[in-house]
Amino acid sequence: MPEHQLTMLWHEAGNSHYHDRFVELSKVANLTVMGPKTFQGTTFDPEKFHFPVKLFNSVLSSHWLTFIPSTIAFYREARRADILYVHEEPHSLVAFLSATLRLGRPMYIESSAINLKGNLSGWNVLERFVYKTATKIIPKNHEVADVLHRRGAPRSKISSPIGNGVSKSSFSIVDKSAARSALAQKYPQVSDAFKKGGLVLGYAGRIWQPKGIEILAQLAQELPVTILACGPVADDYLVDTLVAAGVTVLPSLQKDDLRTFYSALDLFILPSLSTKNWREQFGRVCIEAIYCGTPAVGSHVGGIPMVIGASQTFGAGNIEQAKALLTKLSDEAERAEILRWQTAHVDQNFSWKAIAAQVLAVTHLKR
């Protein structure tokens, strides 16, 4: 049994979707996980938990920036922890409260900051106090590291990036022919798409302009490819644009259907753009596709190159670069080679076991 005490605080602690991370961390440390009972109107259900989590009452819990624990037990636990790992942004109120409890004691902040909102041009004294108190600040990717430095975090306190993880038990290969049959049976509109021949390209995520959705319509019109897209709709006009270009649009899919969707594809694409206030922090969907046996390409934005390899990226919104890359990967042998590399890469860096090892290293815990 691991001897070392690690206490993690996260507003999504009660979301069972992320509990595989806690399971792996518990194998290398005595882990306590804390979070609010209710966040953004959702009350978490302990019956669904895959890992025991300590939930506390909180106020102002409609946003991660403002939620404040309202029970003494939280403050007692945060104070006495050997190591406190705060999975919250450094400019959040709970990060500041945690910092006041940890003066002179190890505290690590994991951040996905993508802009300077709330920084007040460096005059956010609460955020500056967090940087002064924290042992290390852990960025989600290299772009986040640069943003943190611009927000005032000393370079000496910014660690190497630690990405998100994906569970191989949730996302694994389904035989391609069987996946296509199952998908067509549940969503008949894809039947004709699979009959067209040529490369089957897919996208999963929000149908939202910053995700670079328009390039999918351009690709469908300019290359001999079949494109499937699924996800919640944020911009209605984009659905019309995609359908007019011949893209088959499905609704947002649950985990089991997503596994089938990824396995049915020849290639996955994440064409996100870079905006003033938003960047693709990680690109989790790329790893999900890879674990389902489908290689991934995407734009050179945020955490995407870190996940899939820079050589499988194109300039954000650059249709010519995207077309050249897809033309190259129309060759099955090329795709197989990319998939072999990407599978080994994500296993080594982005499985939950790998993430646990990286947390172990940055916090200087020893097995």
Side-chain angles (χ1 to χ4, degrees):
M1 182 71 181
E3 299 177 358
H4 305 283
Q5 297 287 339
L6 177 68
T7 299
M8 177 177 284
L9 169 64
W10 191 20
H11 60 268
E12 289 275 19
N15 187 339
S16 59
H17 182 70
Y18 299 105
H19 284 195
D20 287 343
R21 177 185 197 182
F22 306 150
V23 171
E24 288 299 330
L25 272 172
S26 70
K27 295 176 182 178
V28 297
N30 280 334
L31 180 66
T32 298
V33 181
M34 301 190 297
K37 287 182 180 178
T38 300
F39 181 69
Q40 292 186 335
T42 298
T43 298
F44 297 117
D45 182 4
E47 293 295 323
K48 297 180 179 179
F49 287 1
H50 308 306
F51 183 87
V53 175
K54 293 184 177 181
L55 299 181
F56 50 77
N57 292 323
S58 61
V59 296
L60 304 177
S61 57
S62 62
H63 198 280
W64 55 262
L65 185 64
T66 58
F67 90 89
I68 301 174
S70 58
T71 52
I72 296 297
F74 162 78
Y75 295 94
R76 187 186 302 119
E77 187 77 44
R79 173 60 187 162
R80 71 185 182 186
D82 290 342
I83 294 175
L84 184 64
Y85 192 101
V86 182
H87 194 334
E88 305 290 348
E89 295 306 326
H91 53 297
S92 65
L93 287 177
V94 75
F96 171 72
L97 291 172
S98 299
T100 64
L101 298 169
R102 299 299 296 179
L103 289 171
R105 308 196 70 194
M107 181 183 75
Y108 296 81
I109 303 286
E110 182 176 318
S111 174
S112 301
I114 54 176
N115 55 51
L116 302 181
K117 281 185 176 180
N119 184 247
L120 306 179
S121 300
W123 287 98
N124 185 331
V125 294
L126 305 187
E127 182 178 0
R128 289 164 65 182
F129 180 76
V130 171
Y131 293 139
K132 182 177 180 179
T133 305
T135 308
K136 284 287 183 182
I137 303 100
I138 304 164
K140 191 64 69 181
N141 60 54
H142 293 290
E143 284 192 1
V144 171
D146 290 338
V147 170
L148 286 168
H149 182 59
R150 290 165 59 201
R151 294 186 71 97
R155 287 284 187 192
S156 61
K157 285 196 172 186
I158 301 174
S159 75
S160 297
I162 295 180
N164 283 326
V166 173
S167 173
K168 293 183 73 173
S169 63
S170 299
F171 294 95
S172 56
I173 297 172
V174 177
D175 174 77
K176 190 179 297 295
S177 178
R180 291 184 176 183
S181 295
L183 200 65
Q185 184 173 4
K186 190 162 188 177
Y187 301 99
Q189 60 266 47
V190 305
S191 297
D192 290 339
F194 290 138
K195 294 175 182 177
K196 292 180 181 178
L199 194 69
V200 178
L201 186 66
Y203 164 84
R206 278 183 291 174
I207 309 298
W208 184 45
Q209 191 273 336
K211 288 284 191 176
I213 299 299
E214 279 106 338
I215 204 171
L216 299 180
Q218 290 178 276
L219 291 170
Q221 291 173 320
E222 298 181 27
L223 287 180
V225 296
T226 295
I227 301 182
L228 310 180
C230 68
V233 177
D235 290 326
D236 291 330
Y237 78 92
L238 287 174
V239 175
D240 296 333
T241 300
L242 291 174
V243 171
V247 176
T248 301
V249 181
L250 301 177
S252 183
L253 304 181
Q254 297 301 310
K255 187 183 293 183
D256 287 344
D257 284 345
L258 264 179
R259 179 175 171 237
T260 304
F261 176 84
Y262 292 136
S263 297
L265 305 174
D266 293 318
L267 193 63
F268 182 80
I269 185 168
L270 185 59
S272 303
L273 304 176
S274 178
T275 73
K276 180 180 179 180
N277 292 318
W278 184 85
R279 288 173 180 79
E280 193 72 58
Q281 296 175 3
F282 182 59
R284 176 189 177 93
V285 287
C286 292
I287 298 180
E288 293 174 354
I290 291 164
Y291 274 157
C292 291
T294 298
V297 298
S299 55
H300 198 93
V301 168
I304 298 174
M306 182 176 75
V307 169
I308 65 174
S311 62
Q312 303 314 313
T313 63
F314 50 86
N318 191 318
I319 183 64
E320 294 305 322
Q321 289 184 10
K323 286 165 59 178
L325 182 58
L326 293 183
T327 299
K328 176 184 176 183
L329 293 178
S330 63
D331 181 77
E332 186 175 357
E334 285 278 357
R335 295 198 303 275
E337 183 60 31
I338 295 303
L339 180 62
R340 278 191 290 271
W341 182 89
Q342 288 181 337
T343 302
H345 175 66
V346 299
D347 267 345
Q348 184 177 354
N349 294 284
F350 304 114
S351 65
W352 283 126
K353 182 177 180 179
I355 297 299
Q358 292 168 44
V359 170
L360 198 72
V362 77
T363 58
H364 303 294
L365 283 169
K366 304 294 183 184
R367 289 181 185 271

